[in-house]
Amino acid sequence: MSISTITSVFIVLLGVSLQVIFLFVSETPDLGFQELPSHLQSWFQRGSIHDIDGFEVFCIDEGPRDESSETLIFIHGFPTSSFDYHKAMQFFQAAQYRLVLCDHVGFGFSSKPRENFTQSMADLADHALMLWQKLDIRNAHIVAHDMGDSVLTEILTRRQKKLLPDEFKDFFKSVTFTNGGMRYDLINFRLSQTLLTKPWLGEMLVSLQNRIPVDVRSYISSQQLESLWSPNYHLKEELTRDIEDIQALMSLNGGDKIVHKTISYLHDRSRFEVRWLKSLRSLDIPCLLFWGDADAVSPMEIPKSLARDFIPPNVFNGKTLKGVGHFLMLEKPEEYAQTILHFIQSAR
């Protein structure tokens, strides 16, 4: 019997077994707002909900708005939310910037639609632009992370092709990319990422995951998330709390039941990479590639490749945080903020 035949038989048997489980075990109930820890509820109270393209989008908009003040916009990644930036906010606030953070649809406190939404980078780019227009932001420095890097590159591609509305003509003062899989062939994919992106298997695995005991599911998720931190990170209690916060906001209002949809951004990364990289070659605004050099998923080979082959040298800036993993803003929030502040001040 050939390997392909054995694999096909295994997949069929797995599918039958999972269907049997689904008949007898119900999904866990959605996590509600009142079940969140108080500090996450307080984060929600700092922001507001906006109707963007028929969806609820959570946004925090803080700081001065006079003509002399500058705006920083933060774009979060997968599978997290704007809360990624909560530790670094105090340092940006002290520098007197207007700070704008939102949760993408499918994440955090925003809508988590189970149908009639593609979760594409085009959708998320549309929403970002609509929100910035609604908030009457005239220009800004943009800071992106992980999946947010892809949202930002889609927006920059539209800019390069002159497809943005007129009010975005002089909008972008600088862009910062942090620890994202911007070179698809250089990503160190986790097994769970690979399985979840399979057309039918991903949905089945998510459904199965939501039928196992919460403690078991939380432990498995914690192990996967912990691997994104640097092995040098020794604040174990803080690490545990950060992971629990990510898990809670993922689970809020059934977000853990659509992970196979939200992770589909990886398909866009593969499909549209040529489109996005082409636009980066034409970039004419200050650009910072800012990486934690101990990231197990988005390794240093990615920013090195971008700096060597794509970002024009006259706009390129590069910085690393030594011994820091995927979440720079959580592991080293002050160093993260000060590096970005120094860059955007030099970009004026």
Side-chain angles (χ1 to χ4, degrees):
M1 186 179 293
S2 67
I3 294 177
S4 61
T5 301
I6 294 173
T7 302
S8 298
V9 171
F10 172 77
I11 291 175
V12 170
L13 291 175
L14 175 63
V16 172
S17 301
L18 293 178
Q19 291 294 342
V20 171
I21 293 172
F22 297 163
L23 287 174
F24 296 98
V25 183
S26 300
E27 284 189 340
T28 55
D30 293 351
L31 184 72
F33 179 82
Q34 296 302 325
E35 298 172 84
L36 293 175
S38 58
H39 60 276
L40 294 183
Q41 294 188 31
S42 296
W43 182 258
F44 177 79
Q45 298 302 330
R46 288 173 65 170
S48 57
I49 296 293
H50 296 265
D51 184 334
I52 303 294
D53 198 27
F55 297 100
E56 292 185 347
V57 172
F58 172 74
C59 176
I60 291 177
D61 183 0
E62 296 182 340
R65 303 187 191 184
D66 55 85
E67 291 185 2
S68 62
S69 63
E70 293 186 293
T71 300
L72 273 70
I73 296 173
F74 297 86
I75 308 177
H76 74 82
F78 173 92
T80 52
S81 69
S82 59
F83 194 68
D84 287 351
Y85 300 102
H86 74 283
K87 294 181 184 179
M89 286 283 278
Q90 60 180 310
F91 305 107
F92 292 111
Q93 288 169 326
Q96 293 296 299
Y97 285 89
R98 178 184 179 184
L99 307 176
V100 176
L101 313 88
C102 76
D103 293 346
H104 304 299
V105 171
F107 300 84
F109 292 104
S110 293
S111 294
K112 294 181 174 175
R114 298 199 186 188
E115 54 187 21
N116 299 324
F117 187 64
T118 64
Q119 290 292 161
S120 72
M121 295 302 93
D123 286 317
L124 300 189
D126 287 344
H127 293 169
L129 293 167
M130 291 176 189
L131 178 65
W132 301 345
Q133 286 177 305
K134 188 171 186 178
L135 296 177
D136 194 30
I137 302 173
R138 303 302 173 87
N139 51 67
H141 301 274
I142 316 294
V143 180
H145 177 247
D146 186 77
M147 181 186 72
D149 291 350
S150 296
V151 176
L152 180 53
T153 48
E154 169 59 26
I155 292 172
L156 292 175
T157 298
R158 299 182 191 184
R159 175 181 180 270
Q160 185 263 330
K161 293 178 179 293
K162 304 186 186 306
L163 298 175
L164 292 180
D166 290 343
E167 56 261 50
F168 290 103
K169 180 180 179 181
D170 299 313
F171 186 87
F172 301 91
K173 303 187 74 171
S174 74
V175 291
T176 297
F177 297 100
T178 64
N179 287 72
M182 299 171 71
R183 287 300 312 274
Y184 192 79
D185 58 323
L186 298 176
I187 300 172
N188 294 326
F189 288 105
R190 292 291 189 260
L191 176 61
S192 59
Q193 291 176 303
T194 301
L195 295 176
L196 286 170
T197 56
K198 300 302 180 185
W200 64 270
L201 184 59
E203 182 175 3
M204 191 170 289
L205 288 175
V206 168
S207 186
L208 174 63
Q209 176 178 288
N210 283 281
R211 285 172 164 79
I212 63 178
V214 173
D215 290 345
V216 175
R217 185 176 71 200
S218 177
Y219 174 78
I220 295 172
S221 172
S222 295
Q223 295 303 301
Q224 294 174 333
L225 287 168
E226 186 172 340
S227 69
L228 298 178
W229 268 255
S230 166
N232 301 318
Y233 189 72
H234 300 303
L235 301 177
K236 296 303 181 183
E237 289 186 7
E238 195 159 329
L239 171 59
T240 298
R241 183 168 58 251
D242 287 338
I243 289 175
E244 289 176 347
D245 289 339
I246 291 173
Q247 291 173 320
L249 289 172
M250 283 177 63
S251 299
L252 179 67
N253 298 329
D256 51 350
K257 297 178 175 64
I258 59 169
V259 175
H260 59 292
K261 292 180 178 291
T262 54
I263 203 173
S264 67
Y265 79 95
L266 289 173
H267 295 304
D268 282 3
R269 269 198 176 152
S270 174
R271 183 178 182 185
F272 297 112
E273 182 171 86
V274 172
R275 165 186 167 90
W276 293 338
L277 292 178
K278 180 179 179 181
S279 71
L280 290 182
R281 283 199 171 102
S282 302
L283 201 60
D284 59 354
I285 50 178
C287 174
L288 173 64
L289 300 181
F290 183 24
W291 242 251
D293 71 350
D295 189 340
V297 176
S298 299
M300 283 298 299
E301 285 75 14
I302 292 176
K304 288 177 181 178
S305 170
L306 294 171
R308 182 182 64 246
D309 301 324
F310 298 99
I311 307 294
N314 62 310
V315 301
F316 168 74
N317 297 265
K319 293 290 182 181
T320 60
L321 285 184
K322 301 294 185 182
V324 175
H326 188 68
F327 291 102
L328 306 85
M329 69 292 279
L330 293 176
E331 288 193 42
K332 295 285 185 179
E334 184 171 6
E335 291 91 332
Y336 166 84
Q338 295 304 330
T339 299
I340 292 173
L341 286 170
H342 182 268
F343 162 66
I344 62 178
Q345 287 162 6
S346 68
R348 289 172 176 167

